[in-house]
Amino acid sequence: MSRSVFFDLAKRPLGGIAKAVGRVVLAGVVAGLVYSAPALANSKYAGIVVDAKTGKVLYGEDADQLRYPASLTKMMTLYLTFEALEAGRISKSTPVPFSKKAAAEPPSKLGVRAGKAITVEQAVLSLVTRSANDAATALGELLGGSEQRFARMMTNKARALGMTRTTYRNANGLPNTEQKTTARDQARLGLALRQHFPQYYDYFSTRSFRFGKQTIGNHNRLLGNVRGVDGIKTGYTRASGFNLVTSAQLDGRSIVAVVMGGTSGGARDAQMRKLVAKYMPAASRRGNGNLIAEAPATPVETVTEPAIAATEAQAVAAAAPAASPASNLPNTGPVPDFRYSGESVANVEMAYAAAKPASDNPVLTAKAAPNTLDAQSAKLARQANVAADVDTQITNSVAKAEASAGAEAKQQADVQPQGWVIQIGATADKAQAMTLLGNAKEKGGKALRNATPFTVAFGDGAAQVYRARFGGFDDQSKAVSACKVLKKKGFACWASQQ
């Protein structure tokens, strides 16, 4: 008790002293309760950890609840930039002009004046390090003609990647109440960046780069400080809280983790450290990581604003988010498997073939899509009369899935080339898969001269499909180069390591 309180009590009558002491004791009890009470739950928080080799969800908390992406938006801006680089529409040295709009974007930014330009590579580096808003807008205007059109391209690409609850309105993630996503969708995008663009993914590991007289450091504090972490992206606005998508690979294991809505950068990073430490050992060393199959591209103009809104409404109604556990870092119970966001391959697996030329790539009729599949993506797939090769399936029994995988591995062990392979599609008929491979090899010329065509059966019963692949590539660069050739000939293609 302080001296002033003691002397105040000494001057009072006995009854007054009792009342005063009571007030002091009560105040102390209340203070103790306030001090010891747990912090209020963070309503913005959402998180997920995915085994990047198998697609299994190792942890999830509110992973399907809508959140603001903030600068995680730039991951999609970079995806479309990498896609344009791979297709040869731009090069790393292509100038990126800054309009008045781009130059006027608020920080973080490079500060390039209107009318000036930087290279595509400088823009990419500025996005992964400083998270430059002005460079993101400039890239969007370069690739889309306008940022509004580029945002529609971004949303269209999100649908093609299975990001059913994501809508973009700008290229940089600056506040917009209509720009929303989920932790699960951001994990899908992180996996897609790794899987589809291994030749560009190393940009996300950049610790710093020189721009003029500046040395710009990376906002991602886990790079170089947590073993195995190799990227990907941070984000923050007042509405979103502190966001982070992290990729980590260690001792043959690989995960992608997402933390959204952190109360501070330090709290967000601490949570991510816990997730990596706890769930990396639980990840599998087996599996090839071919998890994100891209649906056929459609003209961006077909994705109208009302259609996007309707799709979101349907997704919200159909979504069944995992229950939020009470503990700080729980190992949640049955969380929906990440492999194709919970849809069954029996209902979703469709024939994949490039649309041009039609004589080279037989088009198969898509099977009926389930109610839970993103309605807009299903509609676009039916209109194009082609469908994506969904690489993994959700089974009702883990034992059944493991048994099926084991049987497939035994059947294919003596025929599958190892190392780097490329996949150009999948069909429900093995003969058609081989025809697709034959046409591709004829069109591929020198790029496929020494490549070995083969098929891989996946699934069973009505859900079985045959993946059409080429093996025999010495390294990643040769596999990626072969894909570039095939894409120019009208074939879909992506490279991966067996």
Side-chain angles (χ1 to χ4, degrees):
M1 186 179 300
S2 72
R3 180 176 297 182
S4 62
V5 172
F6 175 81
F7 283 116
D8 180 63
L9 292 176
K11 297 176 183 178
R12 298 187 181 193
L14 188 60
I17 292 175
K19 290 179 181 179
V21 170
R23 285 195 297 268
V24 171
V25 172
L26 178 61
V29 171
V30 172
L33 289 173
V34 171
Y35 179 78
S36 61
L40 293 175
N42 178 12
S43 61
K44 294 181 180 179
Y45 178 78
I48 193 170
V49 180
V50 180
D51 186 331
K53 290 195 172 182
T54 66
K56 181 180 179 181
V57 173
L58 305 176
Y59 159 85
E61 185 170 347
D62 288 338
D64 295 301
Q65 294 299 307
L66 290 173
R67 297 288 185 266
Y68 295 118
S71 283
L72 300 187
T73 298
K74 296 181 178 80
M75 291 167 58
M76 181 58 82
T77 300
L78 288 166
Y79 185 100
L80 292 176
T81 300
F82 296 158
E83 189 174 65
L85 282 168
E86 186 177 60
R89 296 194 298 271
I90 58 174
S91 70
K92 293 180 182 180
S93 59
T94 297
V96 181
F98 277 56
S99 66
K100 289 182 179 181
K101 183 182 187 304
E105 296 287 23
S108 298
K109 61 192 296 183
L110 285 179
V112 178
R113 290 179 296 178
K116 299 295 183 179
I118 62 176
T119 67
V120 165
E121 184 166 48
Q122 287 175 320
V124 167
L125 289 167
S126 74
L127 264 62
V128 300
T129 56
R130 179 169 286 179
S131 196
N133 294 320
D134 52 356
T137 297
L139 271 175
E141 291 174 342
L142 174 70
L143 297 174
S146 70
E147 188 175 31
Q148 184 178 17
R149 186 175 185 276
F150 185 67
R152 294 200 298 271
M153 291 169 60
M154 295 168 74
T155 301
N156 219 22
K157 182 59 65 175
R159 295 293 181 270
L161 294 174
M163 299 167 63
T164 61
R165 305 199 68 195
T166 297
T167 300
Y168 293 106
R169 289 293 183 263
N170 59 46
N172 48 38
L174 285 169
N176 186 309
T177 56
E178 295 180 351
Q179 184 152 282
K180 295 183 179 181
T181 189
T182 67
R184 188 185 302 273
D185 277 3
Q186 290 303 302
R188 289 185 71 82
L189 181 53
L191 286 167
L193 282 163
R194 279 178 38 169
Q195 176 184 322
H196 296 170
F197 305 110
Q199 71 274 38
Y200 301 125
Y201 180 76
D202 286 349
Y203 278 121
F204 291 104
S205 299
T206 304
R207 302 285 296 280
S208 66
F209 89 104
R210 291 283 298 175
F211 181 72
K213 297 180 179 180
Q214 305 177 63
T215 298
I216 298 175
N218 199 315
H219 288 176
N220 189 346
R221 305 305 180 196
L222 270 60
L223 279 173
N225 292 313
V226 177
R227 287 186 65 213
V229 169
D230 56 22
I232 297 179
K233 190 72 188 72
T234 61
Y236 169 77
T237 65
R238 184 177 299 176
S240 72
F242 291 82
N243 299 340
L244 178 61
V245 176
T246 290
S247 163
Q249 304 183 67
L250 187 66
D251 299 331
R253 296 181 171 92
S254 180
I255 62 172
V256 168
V258 180
V259 168
M260 304 189 76
T263 55
S264 68
R268 171 199 65 193
D269 293 350
Q271 173 72 346
M272 186 61 78
R273 288 173 186 267
K274 291 179 183 179
L275 293 178
V276 172
K278 182 168 185 177
Y279 294 106
M280 178 69 85
S284 175
R285 287 193 173 100
R286 305 179 68 177
N288 60 17
N290 290 332
L291 304 175
I292 309 298
E294 189 173 340
T298 55
V300 65
E301 288 76 15
T302 64
V303 183
T304 62
E305 303 303 320
I308 292 172
T311 299
E312 271 200 328
Q314 291 174 3
V316 170
S324 300
S327 59
N328 181 43
L329 192 63
N331 189 355
T332 59
V335 180
D337 198 330
F338 190 77
R339 289 169 287 184
Y340 209 68
S341 303
E343 275 75 54
S344 168
V345 167
N347 292 324
V348 180
E349 188 87 53
M350 302 173 183
Y352 189 98
K356 298 178 181 179
S359 59
D360 291 339
N361 298 283
V363 178
L364 305 183
T365 302
K367 297 177 183 178
N371 292 333
T372 56
L373 180 62
D374 175 71
Q376 182 69 10
S377 294
K379 180 179 179 181
L380 296 175
R382 289 194 299 271
Q383 289 174 342
N385 203 29
V386 293
D389 165 36
V390 180
D391 271 339
T392 54
Q393 78 179 104
I394 302 300
T395 60
N396 293 328
S397 166
V398 173
K400 180 180 178 181
E402 290 178 348
S404 176
E408 178 188 336
K410 183 177 180 181
Q411 177 183 0
Q412 299 292 336
D414 58 341
V415 298
Q416 288 193 40
Q418 298 301 303
W420 281 89
V421 303
I422 62 175
Q423 180 166 319
I424 62 171
T427 76
D429 182 80
K430 185 174 182 179
Q432 287 182 314
M434 292 304 299
T435 299
L436 181 62
L437 288 168
N439 291 330
K441 186 153 189 177
E442 180 181 350
K443 300 290 186 181
K446 294 181 180 179
L448 298 178
R449 179 174 296 169
N450 298 318
T452 303
F454 67 102
T455 63
V456 177
F458 188 84
D460 52 22
Q464 189 172 57
V465 296
Y466 295 87
R467 297 168 175 165
R469 293 179 171 177
F470 287 98
F473 299 98
D474 295 334
D475 53 36
Q476 172 184 319
S477 63
K478 291 183 179 179
V480 170
S481 295
C483 269
K484 288 182 179 179
V485 171
L486 288 175
K487 286 181 178 181
K488 289 180 180 179
K489 299 292 184 180
F491 292 88
C493 184
W494 62 88
S496 64
Q497 191 172 23
Q498 291 291 84

